[in-house]
Amino acid sequence: MAIFRYTSRETDYLSRRDPVLGDAIRRIGPLEREMMPDLFQALAHSIVGQQITDKAARTVWGRLEVLCGGVTPAAVAAQSEESLRGCGMSQRKVSYLQGAAAAALNGTLAAEHFAPLSDEEVIRQLTDLPGVGRWTAEMLMLFSLGRPDVVSFGDLAIRRGIMRLYGLSHLTRQEFLTLRACWSPYGSVASFYLWAVAHDERWAENATPTP
């Protein structure tokens, strides 16, 4: 199992820059976040799971694995649209999945292709793929490419974590950008702790009020 690796260098930096987040880091302790280094697999999972429940997504993925004998770019490309729809996907999702398979086969959906590019250029190229919005691109950057400075304004849990930490009833984009700049270049580790805060109801009662 691949894990996003970080050390006290990142958490010490974040704690110095942002004592409020630093207190959360101290209270929560070390976190492990599983990665999916295979970009195609990660994107395929995202496409399958769009706008359906986790249970339904697991069912569709299981059918897709049986159909393809393993969900790989070549195996997906070899299937007919009708066969892919038979797994429980809409025509649109089938089109997205086929586009992802084609990109993987031609080398434009590969870690090596994105390695020399800036974060914004990676986002630009990923969102050129059908079915990939900015949030999906950011999650691929974090959980597949292991980029160190990913904090997504489009992620509801990230925003909820920030609002809980700072006692905010609303989070503006400018407030987000100010905090994001404070956490850079280790925003990805900040994201892990914000998710932890967002999913622990105890933080809803202990939020730090704004000055």
Side-chain angles (χ1 to χ4, degrees):
M1 180 174 67
I3 299 294
F4 189 102
R5 302 295 177 187
Y6 69 94
T7 67
S8 60
R9 177 183 63 182
E10 290 89 342
T11 53
D12 287 350
Y13 175 89
L14 292 169
S15 297
R16 288 194 304 270
R17 296 277 289 171
D18 183 349
V20 175
L21 179 62
D23 181 61
I25 291 171
R26 178 185 58 79
R27 292 168 63 183
I28 293 168
L31 293 171
E32 284 192 349
R33 296 297 302 224
E34 186 176 353
M35 297 180 65
M36 187 178 289
D38 187 314
L39 266 174
F40 173 75
Q41 285 264 324
L43 180 51
H45 270 283
S46 177
I47 291 168
V48 166
Q50 288 176 1
Q51 299 181 326
I52 59 176
T53 66
D54 289 344
K55 181 179 179 180
R58 287 193 295 271
T59 298
V60 174
W61 188 264
R63 292 170 181 165
L64 190 59
E65 285 188 313
V66 171
L67 174 68
C68 295
V71 184
T72 66
V76 168
Q79 306 305 318
S80 67
E81 291 185 358
E82 183 179 3
S83 295
L84 292 170
R85 286 199 307 272
C87 295
M89 289 184 287
S90 66
Q91 179 60 50
R92 179 173 293 182
K93 284 190 181 182
V94 168
S95 175
Y96 293 165
L97 187 61
Q98 289 176 322
L105 290 171
N106 69 27
T108 57
L109 187 66
E112 301 78 24
H113 170 76
F114 293 113
L117 305 180
S118 69
D119 287 352
E120 284 302 316
E121 180 60 19
V122 172
I123 290 171
R124 188 192 70 76
Q125 292 195 20
L126 285 173
T127 54
D128 280 344
L129 295 171
V132 179
R134 185 178 179 94
W135 177 84
T136 299
E138 289 170 332
M139 294 306 101
L140 291 172
M141 285 171 54
L142 180 50
F143 291 112
S144 292
L145 298 177
R147 293 267 170 148
D149 198 21
V150 180
V151 189
S152 175
F153 184 75
D155 191 283
L156 293 176
I158 290 285
R159 298 207 304 272
R160 183 166 65 245
I162 292 172
M163 289 188 289
R164 283 184 171 180
L165 273 183
Y166 294 93
L168 301 172
S169 59
H170 177 68
L171 178 68
T172 68
R173 181 175 287 274
Q174 186 54 55
E175 287 169 333
F176 169 82
L177 291 174
T178 298
L179 287 167
R180 198 211 178 293
C182 179
W183 302 326
S184 184
Y186 301 126
S188 295
V189 175
S191 290
F192 298 150
Y193 283 94
L194 292 169
W195 276 316
V197 169
H199 290 101
D200 188 336
E201 290 302 320
R202 291 174 296 177
W203 287 90
E205 302 173 358
N206 298 320
T208 300
T210 53

